[in-house]
Amino acid sequence: MKIPKPGAVANTLNQIYNNPGDPDMGWFFYNDEDPLTGKTNGSRGHTKGVLCFDLKTNTAFWLIHSAPKFSPKGKYSYPENATQNAQTFLCITLKDANTARDIAAQMYVAQQPNVYLASKKPASLPSTDPRALLINNKITPSSDAYANAINFQSKAGKAFKSIAKNKNWDKNNNDDFYNNLLGPILGETLNVESWEHGEEPGPWQTDKIHKIVAMKLVNLAPLGINPSYTWSEENDHAKLAISDRVEKIQFICVGDINFTKTMEKRSGGTVAFIDNDLWKSIS
């Protein structure tokens, strides 16, 4: 497969690559599969993305993705290894820089990202601000179990909910992110598409009414794509969940965690939102 040409993701990240010394801009790249060392940090969150904010213009964005060993240092490129499987990308232009602070506060305790590349701390940013702590690759020293959900908005006013848990949340070694946290918060049966190279936690949510249904095959033919593509979950590195067709509210969730038992001991989460046109395409 050819490596994708630069597009929306490249243009977004070039705001960082083209302004590496901007004193008002703070940012950090995180990935448990470090592109600089080539090593995987299993003690930090199973989470990948970029959080960027500009204090002068009061703007920010959050990119959540599933691509291993991405993003690189210096200039944009897309790793060849990330083209071998399906991936998910969600980029949100945040309401303001304070929204990035709220997201960072959750990350510090819940997602616990492995930050491998970051800006200098903007001079006006307090060293205790969660954005500053993550820029310096700091996470909470606490080993307490933790999970929560925060609501935030995009610049255009669209509503999102970030739902996350830390690796200590599963105290009894039987709490799955989808069955015991995401599903109950949304109150729906969900279809999950993820990297399922491992034992599944089982279909039943906490209420024993709703289920988590693992997607086993993706087929793009109904979208009218020609030539079309199909692939099985063995070749799918996405972290995607959508409401089942029987549900009245149709959520889309893009995040970090796979639907496998090994994820019970990893930090991470997902971002849920409503977009009926996108849900119809995915469904």
Side-chain angles (χ1 to χ4, degrees):
M1 178 183 289
K2 292 184 178 179
I3 296 175
K5 294 181 179 179
V9 177
N11 292 336
T12 298
L13 295 182
N14 280 340
Q15 296 174 94
I16 295 174
Y17 288 125
N18 295 339
N19 299 282
D22 189 326
D24 298 305
M25 185 183 292
W27 50 267
F28 55 89
F29 293 5
Y30 57 95
N31 198 318
D32 58 309
E33 299 179 71
D34 190 329
L36 304 187
T37 65
K39 298 179 180 179
T40 298
N41 187 338
S43 66
R44 291 291 182 94
H46 191 272
T47 184
K48 303 169 174 65
V50 180
L51 187 65
C52 178
F53 57 93
D54 190 315
L55 298 177
K56 185 176 181 179
T57 60
N58 195 28
T59 56
F61 72 81
W62 187 16
L63 172 65
I64 304 156
H65 67 82
S66 63
K69 298 179 175 64
F70 179 81
S71 304
K73 183 179 181 180
K75 65 178 182 177
Y76 176 85
S77 65
Y78 192 79
E80 194 276 336
N81 67 291
T83 68
Q84 304 306 308
N85 301 294
Q87 310 289 350
T88 42
F89 282 74
L90 172 65
C91 189
I92 306 167
T93 302
L94 302 175
K95 179 180 178 181
D96 51 31
N98 283 339
T99 303
R101 178 196 61 200
D102 296 341
I103 291 168
Q106 183 191 51
M107 278 189 183
Y108 177 74
V109 183
Q111 291 97 327
Q112 300 186 356
N114 176 55
V115 174
Y116 63 89
L117 188 64
S119 68
K120 292 183 179 179
K121 180 184 76 68
S124 61
L125 193 68
S127 59
T128 55
D129 187 291
R131 292 167 294 183
L133 293 170
L134 288 169
I135 282 173
N136 289 314
N137 196 24
K138 303 293 185 182
I139 60 170
T140 179
S142 173
S143 60
D144 292 342
Y146 183 86
N148 80 337
I150 63 169
N151 297 315
F152 67 94
Q153 290 186 342
S154 70
K155 185 178 180 180
K158 191 172 186 64
F160 294 85
K161 184 186 292 289
S162 178
I163 303 160
K165 57 94 173 179
N166 68 9
K167 61 184 178 182
N168 300 305
W169 176 67
D170 179 29
K171 286 291 187 181
N172 297 319
N173 197 33
N174 60 359
D175 289 334
D176 167 60
F177 174 76
Y178 292 96
N179 279 321
N180 301 92
L181 187 61
L182 178 62
I185 285 177
L186 299 183
E188 295 190 349
T189 289
L190 301 171
N191 300 322
V192 176
E193 176 187 358
S194 76
W195 184 254
E196 293 181 31
H197 289 231
E199 183 182 357
E200 292 180 7
W204 292 106
Q205 293 185 26
T206 305
D207 62 8
K208 304 302 181 183
I209 298 173
H210 295 96
K211 290 185 177 182
I212 299 297
V213 180
M215 300 187 201
K216 296 301 182 183
L217 179 73
V218 174
N219 178 13
L220 300 186
L223 295 179
I225 295 173
N226 186 22
S228 189
Y229 300 92
T230 62
W231 61 89
S232 68
E233 60 90 7
E234 289 91 350
N235 297 312
D236 202 324
H237 200 247
K239 325 293 178 191
L240 175 70
I242 63 171
S243 299
D244 191 82
R245 294 180 182 181
V246 302
E247 302 294 349
K248 293 182 179 179
I249 301 175
Q250 297 165 340
F251 286 101
I252 301 165
C253 306
V254 179
D256 306 318
I257 297 291
N258 297 317
F259 186 50
T260 58
K261 290 187 69 66
T262 57
M263 295 288 99
E264 294 173 5
K265 291 299 183 182
R266 296 293 298 273
S267 303
T270 196
V271 172
F273 61 101
I274 298 171
D275 188 299
N276 291 331
D277 289 338
L278 181 57
W279 180 90
K280 289 177 183 177
S281 294
I282 296 173
S283 180

